[in-house]
């Protein structure tokens, strides 16, 4: 199959369409839309940071306008999705469950390095959950031998529970306050789900199709990101076979370095149309996962700065990218003050792009919707590099019924 030549704007359309950001409500509305979104994306990254609403809820609310955070838990309880850790923790469609098995087998292969005491504790936990049913970490006594010294200084029971989840013997659900509930895997997998181990080649093909469907255009290293637990990864070899079969095509993007790029043929002549909607995105959105992609395709240099020492931060602790059409127009460092029901915008930093009144109005709509999604009734703006834009936004927010304050 011949290489498809694209301009950067054409490539951006494909990437945003694949990510579910080419227009409002691409998957519809209601709980069914949440299921469709997760099945399309294949993986929704979970994050515990609660500066604003957690990343998995944020991503879904961006694509499902009437999203309610309880719907995700409902899908877990119904066995339509499941939580697991591959490259990161995330939610995946239950129909793809068997493709988590290679990672679990890889984790299980490390059991030989465990001490007898560690293996004994894991067996005791399995036996207890088997007898008593689902349990939380609070159900296990504090078995720490020494005082904790940091975030990752876990108790032995916590380590054992996580190992049992990684190797597949336990699975996770969540309480209303986001605490993990551990249960035997057999109790959480529906009877009609295929649990056979895929071959390495089948796994590689699944990874290619899943990630190209969600990313639109990608390099081999990106397609292999969530499949790295498989020994002798076959992503590159299977990719070449799929090109020969016409299931994947090569892509070249004008003015980009000559990196090998790939996409699904379905995106080639799909007549994608972008809206000029404004989206406030999570730092862990599928579009933002790879920093180099934002630079290459969108000329946007973005980094989440909660992992950056405070003295070196440029934009703020939890800066959210803001997308309008196919360009990133700003980034917003914000925090939901849940006690006062106030969204605090510490810094609204605009990119050096001219913005029309229409775009500013759509940004106002996105801001007010984001405040309500975070259960906030007001917005406090602290700082911006564009005073004129900020004044227009504050006026628009007031008209929208969300009280602005300094």
């Amino acid at each position: 199959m011949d290489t498809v030549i694209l301009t950067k704007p054409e490539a951006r359309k494909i990437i945003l369409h694949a990510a579910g950001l080419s227009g409002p409500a691409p998957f519809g509305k209601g709980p069914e839309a949440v299921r469709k979104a997760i099945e399309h994306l294949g993986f929704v990254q979970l994050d515990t940071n609660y500066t604003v609403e957690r990343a998995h809820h944020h991503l879904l609310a961006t694509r499902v306008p009437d999203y309610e955070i309880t719907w995700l838990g409902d899908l877990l309880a119904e066995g339509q999705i499941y939580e697991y850790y591959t490259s990161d923790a995330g939610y995946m469609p239950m129909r793809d469950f068997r493709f988590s098995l290679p990672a679990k087998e890889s984790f299980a292969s490390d059991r030989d390095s465990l001490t007898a005491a560690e293996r004994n504790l894991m067996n005791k936990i399995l036996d207890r959950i088997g007898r008593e049913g689902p349990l939380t970490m609070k159900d296990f006594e504090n078995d720490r031998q020494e005082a904790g010294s940091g975030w990752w200084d876990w108790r032995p029971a916590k380590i054992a529970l996580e190992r049992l989840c990684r190797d597949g013997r336990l699975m996770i659900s969540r309480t209303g306050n986001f605490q993990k509930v551990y249960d035997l895997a057999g109790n959480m997998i529906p009877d009609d789900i295929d649990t056979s181990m895929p071959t390495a080649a089948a796994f590689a093909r699944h990874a290619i199709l899943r990630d190209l469907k969600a990313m639109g255009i990608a390099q081999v290293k990106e397609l292999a990101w969530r499949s790295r637990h498989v020994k002798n990864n076959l992503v590159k070899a299977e990719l070449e076979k799929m090109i020969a079969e016409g299931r994947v095509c090569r892509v070249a993007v004008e003015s980009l370095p000559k990196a090998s790029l790939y996409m699904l043929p379905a995106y080639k002549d799909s007549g994608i149309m972008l809206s000029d909607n404004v989206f406030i995105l999570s730092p862990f959105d599928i579009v933002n996962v790879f920093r180099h992609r934002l630079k290459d395709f969108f000329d946007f240099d973005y980094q989440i700065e909660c992992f950056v020492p405070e003295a070196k931060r440029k934009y703020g602790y939890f800066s959210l990218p803001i997308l309008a059409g196919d360009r990133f127009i700003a980034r917003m460092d914000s925090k939901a003050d849940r006690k006062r029901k106030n969204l605090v915008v510490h810094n609204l930093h605009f990119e050096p792009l001219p913005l029309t009144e229409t775009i500013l109005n759509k940004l106002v709509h996105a801001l007010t919707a984001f405040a309500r999604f975070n259960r906030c009734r007001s917005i406090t703006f602290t700082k911006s590099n564009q005073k004129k834009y900020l004044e227009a936004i504050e006026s628009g927010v007031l008209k929208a019924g969300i009280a602005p304050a300094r």
Side-chain angles (χ1 to χ4, degrees):
M1 181 178 288
D2 294 337
T3 299
V4 177
I5 308 298
L6 299 171
T7 63
K8 268 192 180 181
E10 289 171 335
R12 287 197 292 267
K13 280 186 178 182
I14 292 168
I15 290 168
L16 294 174
H17 176 71
L21 294 171
S22 57
F27 306 103
K29 295 184 179 182
E32 181 66 8
V34 177
R35 182 190 64 77
K36 289 179 179 178
I38 296 172
E39 289 191 348
H40 173 83
L41 296 171
F43 183 93
V44 172
Q45 185 169 335
L46 177 156
D47 194 76
T48 58
N49 191 304
Y50 200 38
T51 304
V52 292
E53 187 55 77
R54 293 184 176 95
H56 40 288
H57 293 308
H58 186 168
L59 179 147
L60 292 166
T62 303
R63 293 157 174 83
V64 183
D66 60 343
Y67 178 74
E68 296 182 15
I69 61 174
T70 57
W71 292 347
L72 199 55
D74 292 342
L75 290 175
L76 274 168
E78 294 164 6
Q80 297 197 54
I81 62 173
Y82 70 101
E83 178 183 334
Y84 187 61
Y85 184 98
T86 54
S87 58
D88 304 283
Y91 294 110
M92 289 157 276
M94 185 63 81
R95 69 181 187 186
D96 294 339
F97 177 82
R98 65 191 293 257
F99 295 105
S100 69
L101 298 179
K104 290 168 181 173
E105 183 181 60
S106 177
F107 282 122
S109 67
D110 293 333
R111 288 178 193 158
D112 292 342
S113 64
L114 300 180
T115 66
E118 288 171 326
R119 288 195 294 270
N120 185 45
L121 177 58
M122 291 167 70
N123 288 332
K124 286 182 177 179
I125 287 174
L126 285 173
D127 179 67
R128 183 176 171 190
I129 293 176
R131 288 183 288 105
E132 299 180 23
L135 298 174
T136 69
M137 186 65 239
K138 292 180 180 179
D139 294 310
F140 295 87
E141 64 183 75
N142 190 343
D143 55 356
R144 189 191 300 279
Q145 299 300 312
E146 299 177 0
S149 60
W151 239 23
W152 300 108
D153 186 15
W154 286 350
R155 293 161 42 188
K158 172 68 171 176
I159 294 171
L161 286 164
E162 292 301 313
R163 282 174 171 157
L164 289 165
C165 289
R166 297 286 178 90
D167 72 20
R169 286 182 282 177
L170 292 182
M171 289 180 68
I172 297 168
S173 60
R174 297 273 178 170
T175 65
N177 62 353
F178 202 59
Q179 297 303 304
K180 289 182 178 180
V181 180
Y182 301 91
D183 197 2
L184 299 179
N187 294 337
M188 295 186 64
I189 304 169
D191 293 339
D192 61 345
I193 294 300
D194 186 353
T195 59
S196 62
M197 175 69 73
T199 65
F203 179 85
R205 288 187 169 231
H206 167 76
I208 290 165
L209 293 174
R210 175 196 61 194
D211 291 349
L212 284 181
K213 186 177 181 182
M215 297 176 70
I217 298 170
Q219 301 179 40
V220 171
K221 64 180 181 180
E222 296 152 4
L223 298 175
W225 175 249
R226 292 195 177 98
S227 58
R228 64 180 188 265
H229 289 290
V230 177
K231 297 177 181 178
N232 302 318
N233 192 279
L234 296 177
V235 168
K236 190 170 184 178
E238 290 303 316
L239 191 58
E240 291 300 318
K241 293 178 184 177
M242 294 172 79
I243 291 169
E245 295 164 3
R247 301 189 67 188
V248 173
C249 53
R250 288 189 176 86
V251 176
V253 178
E254 295 174 1
S255 78
L256 281 189
K258 293 184 178 180
S260 297
L261 298 168
Y262 306 90
M263 76 174 184
L264 299 178
Y267 290 141
K268 180 180 176 182
D269 300 308
S270 55
I272 297 167
M273 298 295 292
L274 289 185
S275 72
D276 58 356
N277 281 68
V278 170
F279 298 100
I280 298 171
L281 300 179
S282 163
F284 303 104
D285 197 287
I286 182 67
V287 173
N288 305 320
V289 169
F290 297 104
R291 187 178 179 187
H292 62 270
R293 277 167 57 85
L294 292 176
K295 286 183 178 179
D296 288 347
F297 294 107
F298 296 90
D299 304 310
F300 184 57
D301 188 2
Y302 173 75
Q303 180 181 18
I304 180 172
E305 295 184 346
C306 58
F307 304 118
V308 175
E310 185 173 1
K312 295 184 178 181
R313 292 174 192 154
K314 295 173 63 178
Y315 304 106
Y317 172 80
F318 206 65
S319 178
L320 311 177
I322 300 179
L323 178 74
D326 71 342
R327 302 308 300 265
F328 286 91
I329 62 169
R331 61 195 88 200
M332 179 178 76
D333 180 40
S334 60
K335 176 180 175 63
D337 183 339
R338 295 174 177 89
K339 184 176 181 180
R340 295 177 175 82
K341 298 188 182 300
N342 180 49
L343 180 68
V344 182
V345 179
H346 298 296
N347 185 15
L348 183 55
H349 184 94
F350 291 91
E351 296 297 293
L353 299 169
L355 301 183
T356 65
E357 183 179 353
T358 298
I359 292 298
L360 288 175
N361 288 337
K362 288 181 178 291
L363 176 53
V364 166
H365 176 76
L367 278 165
T368 56
F370 188 69
R372 291 184 177 115
F373 169 60
N374 280 277
R375 296 172 292 286
C376 293
R377 298 170 183 166
S378 61
I379 304 177
T380 298
F381 295 96
T382 304
K383 174 184 172 184
S384 177
N385 65 330
Q386 289 287 351
K387 184 178 179 181
K388 183 179 178 181
Y389 289 164
L390 184 58
E391 288 174 348
I393 288 167
E394 285 185 307
S395 176
V397 165
L398 181 60
K399 292 177 182 177
I402 297 286
R406 286 197 180 275

